[in-house]
Amino acid sequence: MFVRTYGTLYMQNSEVFQDLFTELKRYYTGGNVNLEEMLNDFWARLLERMFQLINPQYHFTEDYLECVSKYTDQLKPFGDVPRKLKVQVTRAFIAARTFVQGLTVGREVANRVSKVSPTPGCIRALMKMLYCPYCRGLPTVKPCNNYCLNVMKGCLANQADLDTEWNLFIDAMLLVAERLEGPFNIESVMDPIDVKISEAIMNMQENSMQVSAKVFQGCGQPKPAPALRSSRSVPENFNTRFRPYNPEERPTTAAGTSLDRLVTDIKEKLKLSKKFWSTFPYTICKDERVTAGPLNEEDCWNGHTKARYLPEIMNDGLTNQINNPEVDVDITRPDTFIRQQIMALRVMTNKLKNAYNGNDVNFQDTSDETSGSGSGSGCTDDICPTEFDFITTEAPPVDSDRREVEASATQPGRSLQMLLIVFISLVLQRQWR
């Protein structure tokens, strides 16, 4: 568009615009870019270039142009476009980048939790539930549904503790998704940005005499340029007026933009993933390949024989497993890796809330080895470490006493461990896809 409208003038100054879009892309992909400073720098550089074009009869030194750029806020040579564009661009990019980072954190947390190894107590309970019917001559009898629930609630006790923070994380993601659908939709902000910049240039052209007079008053009278340059006139530099922007010329579809469809689809998947960890045992135990189902409570394996399972179903979470009749759970030793994932979700939730309010957030710069704060950050590195501090750590090694128990486990125990991991992985993939 700029080439068609301004021709050679744009080509000679294209790096100013290219740098703007390069920095916007770097910010979106996780770079350490201060959006407000970057946009201010763009308008200051554009003012310097424009000022030279509208005053070709003068020669300007670097120091003089630096003085000119200081008048950007005072003179408002581009009208109200810079202020409005700053609000739209910062809000849109903050929301979009944080939302994408939130999706990454959610996926990584789910993937890493799916790889947490079951405890020896869980392995014994799974063996009793899935293999003991064969020893009793009941190979076709499946475990009772409630029996399975107690086993899985014991096996997934630590995972269930993710639920509270996970639900808060999902709520925050849905809030930011609203920003992507509203006036700060990054697609609707970026689509006409070339038109808005051109409107700003037109404002500068129309007010060129007033702007030049005030700059000359503040920065001093510049030296005349050589005769060759002074022969050029302003109309030769700006001989094309930019035609008004017509929104109807932009391609649209009945379902809206592609981003609209993506956000709608993602929101539906996010809503389905709420309470995911607390309902995890129910998701596994309702599978007809695993249990006899809730309708066959009399003809199922209850851990001892073919009969109804009588113990009550445990509540969710680690502390509620103290009296679990099927799985020996040490409620005094929470899984440290699961706790790391809870913290990762908590940090990301705080960043999403900041992004919803239009405040930039800290992200580690993925473009180099340095890290830093974005503009208007809602928290410091000490209080709010980046999510990468958590999601890039591997699961901690098992301690010595657990290693001794697992070393003595039988081959069926190892098969059960793999079976549980496969169960978890399949459900996670289906839910988070």
Side-chain angles (χ1 to χ4, degrees), residues 88-112:
Q88 292 175 331
V89 169
T90 53
R91 294 294 289 267
F93 272 79
I94 288 169
R97 182 173 83 159
T98 310
F99 188 77
V100 171
Q101 295 287 353
L103 290 175
T104 300
V105 171
R107 180 195 64 198
E108 292 295 334
V109 167
N111 286 340
R112 291 177 184 279

Side-chain angles (χ1 to χ4, degrees), residues 62-133:
E62 291 295 327
D63 291 339
Y64 195 97
L65 291 176
E66 185 176 347
C67 178
V68 172
S69 66
K70 294 178 181 179
Y71 281 81
T72 307
D73 293 334
Q74 179 182 341
L75 299 177
K76 298 188 183 306
F78 301 111
D80 206 30
V81 174
R83 184 190 64 82
K84 291 181 179 178
L85 198 60
K86 181 189 293 186
V87 172
Q88 292 175 331
V89 169
T90 53
R91 294 294 289 267
F93 272 79
I94 288 169
R97 182 173 83 159
T98 310
F99 188 77
V100 171
Q101 295 287 353
L103 290 175
T104 300
V105 171
R107 180 195 64 198
E108 292 295 334
V109 167
N111 286 340
R112 291 177 184 279
V113 171
S114 71
K115 298 174 184 177
V116 174
S117 300
T119 63
C122 172
I123 293 175
R124 287 192 293 270
L126 282 171
M127 177 176 290
K128 180 181 178 183
M129 182 178 78
L130 297 176
Y131 287 103
C132 284

Side-chain angles (χ1 to χ4, degrees), residues 18-19 21 23 180 275 312 329-330 346 371 393 400:
Q18 291 171 355
D19 289 346
F21 292 107
E23 288 299 288
L180 300 180
K275 298 183 179 180
E312 65 175 341
V329 181
D330 185 356
R346 187 171 300 157
S371 62
T393 56
S400 57

